[in-house]
Amino acid sequence: MTDKNQEDSGIEEGTGLATKTRPATKKPSLYRVLLLNDDYTPMEFVVEILVRIFRKTPEDAARIMLHVHQNGVGMCGVYTYEVAETKVAQVMDAARRAQHPLQCTMEKE
Ligand code: TYC
């Protein structure tokens, strides 16, 4: 096989032997980033977080914030481990600086 990212036919060129191999690439695990409701963080702060850190439109951000407000928890997005970890840290840091009790966590999809 010439391209390691390509599925091979299972027939090795030249030898005629059946040598079907697994693809060389693996899909990374994905993680949901969740926002948790609390009684004190201002709605506007949560919307700003969703726009700035999760790149939501103001409309989507308001919808997600209200979902969390009404249901206790809601999803901000699905990311690879390192991206999810970074976004959780950015939210927790922004909340700490602003002295809001906002909590953000991640879970394997
Ligand atoms: N419940 C908060 C309020 O009434 C708003 C809020 C929404 C807080 C979402 C956190 O993740 C959250 N001010």
Side-chain angles (χ1 to χ4, degrees), residues 1 6 28 48 60 71 73 89:
M1 189 164 59
Q6 208 71 42
E48 284 167 11
D60 278 354
N71 297 277
V73 61

Side-chain angles (χ1 to χ4, degrees), residues 82-102:
E82 284 201 348
V83 174
E85 200 184 35
T86 299
K87 291 196 185 285
V88 170
Q90 287 172 336
V91 173
M92 296 304 283
D93 190 54
R96 184 187 52 75
R97 287 160 174 275
Q99 298 189 285
H100 296 315
L102 181 64

